Amino acid sequence: MNPNLPTTAGIKLLHTPGPTHVPDLVRNAMSAQPFDLNDPRLTAVIENCERGLQRLLNTQHANVMMYTANGHGAWEAAIVNLLPPGGKVLVAGSGHFSETWAQAAEGCGAHAIRTEARAGSPIDPGLVEAALRADKAHEIVAVFAVQTDTSTGVTSDIHAVRQAIDRAQHPALFVVDVVASLAATRFEMDAWGVNVAIGASQKALMLPPGMSFTAVDEKALSAARNNPTPRVYWDWNLRKSPIGYRKFCGTPPESHLMGLEVSLQLIEREGHEAVFARHLRISRAVHAAVERWGEHGALWLMTKDPAARSTSITAIGVREGIDPTEIYTLARERFHVALAGGLGPHSGKVFRIGHLGDINEAMILGCLAGVEATLRLMNVPIGDGALERAVAVLNAHMPPVR
Ligand SMILES: *Cc1c(COP(=O)(O)O)cnc(C)c1O
């Protein structure tokens, strides 16, 4: 028998913070036949994706450049375009993702300076300001910051980081990773003075993994023009072309683009504000449930400050002796709910629930019920009434029926 055939009835609920559930309309669009490379319809799809991403990023002028690569590819694009060999970058500490981005910069030959990251705490703008003030010679070329660090589910105040750069009167470019936050919470590229934003397909943009992008303003493009680091595929100035084949340094990822065009339409039809409000409402329901589960001290929310908890993902710490691998394996195999484990220093100590993208109330209640069933099957001592709390929070924040 084909081992890929499903062995159970019903659907699997995918609740990782990427990949996320892909809407049927997006999957259908992705199954269309490819265009020939000169078809004006392909040009139109690419332009619709660029314009839609600009609107979501709240930028008028930044150039959207997309890659047939995951988010790590887009990280590398920012690194090799902006940082000269041995060049300095200040990476604002937020968690595992800021740390691995710093390591990627070092792997490309740059010199990464980090501000301290405290698990579950947002970026400290004061530390960014101090590090920039200490750089009297203005050797730091760029500040890298992650809006939502997916390892702990913490969201940082990106505007406050920009203000810290301005207070230090430092000319560094500001580069922000919005991979886990774009379309789940507000991002204001122009108003917050962000020079480069980085995103990927498989989070709140509701596509399968395999595509990423950078949005690059004129200041960053001109810095890239003067940067001698060798690169071809990632080169922003080579990609600045009206021709699709040049924009992608080769054949565009047509299926992903056809999917992205539809997912951006879905987001706009619902309305950006409504999409963010839905994410906030659902994330609050998750937090309320986890707080109830944690009443006996067996588990807890990693991000203590409610204002810093992301609308995309919730990371849950577990007491020693409770194995997150067992939690997510049982949840997947017994209850058909797919969760994520801990990353980096949190491996073996944390499990994570993704609640971003194509998600509604029924889906999150199904997910929470599956997690509760798993925890009870494992005899983890948890508080009663978590699902009731989640329902109450959802109902308290429900928009009117139209
Ligand atoms: C998922 C993620 C990445 C990496 O994306 P990949 O597609 O896995 O390379 C980078 N930054 C953040 C904040 C993420 O959540």
Side-chain angles (χ1 to χ4, degrees), residues 15-89:
H15 284 277
T16 61
T20 64
H21 186 258
V22 179
D24 288 345
L25 283 172
V26 173
R27 286 200 303 140
N28 292 342
M30 292 186 73
S31 72
Q33 292 288 343
F35 297 110
D36 79 75
L37 293 175
N38 295 315
D39 193 326
R41 292 176 193 83
L42 175 59
T43 311
V45 172
I46 294 170
E47 282 176 8
N48 286 339
C49 292
E50 291 169 343
R51 298 291 95 77
L53 287 173
Q54 283 179 327
R55 286 192 290 273
L56 203 48
L57 292 159
N58 284 299
T59 181
Q60 296 285 330
H61 304 295
N63 300 269
V64 172
M65 317 217 189
M66 296 176 273
Y67 314 96
T68 313
N70 62 18
H72 282 69
W75 272 357
E76 186 151 333
I79 291 165
V80 297
N81 276 284
L82 295 178
L83 305 179
K88 286 187 183 168
V89 57

Side-chain angles (χ1 to χ4, degrees), residues 17 70-73 75 97 146 148-150 177 179-180 200 202-203:
N70 62 18
H72 282 69
W75 272 357
F97 282 89
V146 178
T148 291
D149 199 302
T150 324
D177 171 334
V179 174
Q202 77 276 21
K203 313 247 167 146

Side-chain angles (χ1 to χ4, degrees), residues 323-334:
D323 180 7
T325 309
E326 195 181 343
I327 295 175
Y328 67 70
T329 304
L330 270 180
R332 186 205 310 116
E333 301 304 328
R334 286 280 168 277

Side-chain angles (χ1 to χ4, degrees), residues 208-255:
M211 203 175 85
S212 57
F213 70 87
T214 49
V216 184
D217 78 353
E218 287 303 324
K219 208 170 157 193
L221 269 183
S222 112
R225 220 170 283 126
N226 298 321
N227 172 22
T229 298
R231 73 255 181 201
V232 177
Y233 180 79
W234 303 117
D235 191 272
W236 288 338
N237 288 296
L238 288 177
R239 280 170 177 261
K240 258 206 89 177
S241 162
I243 302 160
Y245 193 80
R246 298 261 173 280
K247 283 181 179 178
F248 286 86
C249 192
T251 308
E254 298 191 15
S255 305

Side-chain angles (χ1 to χ4, degrees), residues 108-328:
C108 292
H111 179 102
I113 304 162
R114 297 142 166 92
T115 63
E116 192 200 344
R118 272 162 296 126
S121 294
I123 294 168
D124 181 343
L127 296 180
V128 173
E129 183 181 343
L132 291 175
R133 282 190 191 281
D135 177 38
K136 299 249 185 309
H138 288 177
E139 287 176 342
I140 293 171
V141 177
V143 175
F144 287 0
V146 178
Q147 188 178 19
T148 291
D149 199 302
T150 324
S151 62
T152 57
V154 70
T155 296
S156 293
D157 183 343
I158 294 302
H159 190 208
V161 178
R162 163 44 77 188
Q163 290 169 325
I165 298 171
D166 291 346
R167 273 198 305 278
Q169 296 185 311
H170 197 290
L173 293 161
F174 190 25
V175 183
V176 180
D177 171 334
V178 296
V179 174
S181 49
L182 189 67
T185 194
R186 179 182 312 286
F187 182 72
E188 298 268 354
M189 182 163 182
D190 290 354
W192 297 347
V194 175
N195 303 105
V196 179
I198 295 175
S201 57
Q202 77 276 21
K203 313 247 167 146
L205 290 175
M206 310 186 287
L207 296 175
M211 203 175 85
S212 57
F213 70 87
T214 49
V216 184
D217 78 353
E218 287 303 324
K219 208 170 157 193
L221 269 183
S222 112
R225 220 170 283 126
N226 298 321
N227 172 22
T229 298
R231 73 255 181 201
V232 177
Y233 180 79
W234 303 117
D235 191 272
W236 288 338
N237 288 296
L238 288 177
R239 280 170 177 261
K240 258 206 89 177
S241 162
I243 302 160
Y245 193 80
R246 298 261 173 280
K247 283 181 179 178
F248 286 86
C249 192
T251 308
E254 298 191 15
S255 305
H256 268 77
L257 291 165
M258 287 188 262
L260 180 59
E261 182 183 38
V262 171
S263 77
L264 290 167
Q265 278 171 4
L266 288 172
I267 290 167
E268 289 199 0
R269 199 180 310 155
E270 185 178 351
H272 291 170
E273 292 308 315
V275 170
F276 304 152
R278 172 167 54 80
H279 279 83
L280 180 64
R281 185 166 75 242
I282 286 174
S283 66
R284 282 182 174 159
V286 175
H287 302 153
V290 176
E291 276 169 351
R292 255 314 144 81
W293 286 334
E295 274 174 0
H296 305 303
L299 49 87
W300 52 86
L301 290 162
M302 291 278 299
T303 300
K304 300 292 174 227
D305 175 5
R309 286 177 196 151
S310 88
T311 57
S312 305
I313 169 261
T314 298
I316 300 156
V318 296
R319 193 161 69 195
E320 228 183 291
I322 301 170
D323 180 7
T325 309
E326 195 181 343
I327 295 175
Y328 67 70

Side-chain angles (χ1 to χ4, degrees), residues 289 292-293 331 335 366-378 380 382-388:
R292 255 314 144 81
W293 286 334
F335 301 106
C367 166
L368 293 173
V371 175
E372 169 140 349
T374 301
L375 296 171
R376 294 213 183 272
L377 192 62
M378 288 172 63
V380 174
I382 54 172
D384 291 328
L387 284 160
E388 285 84 343

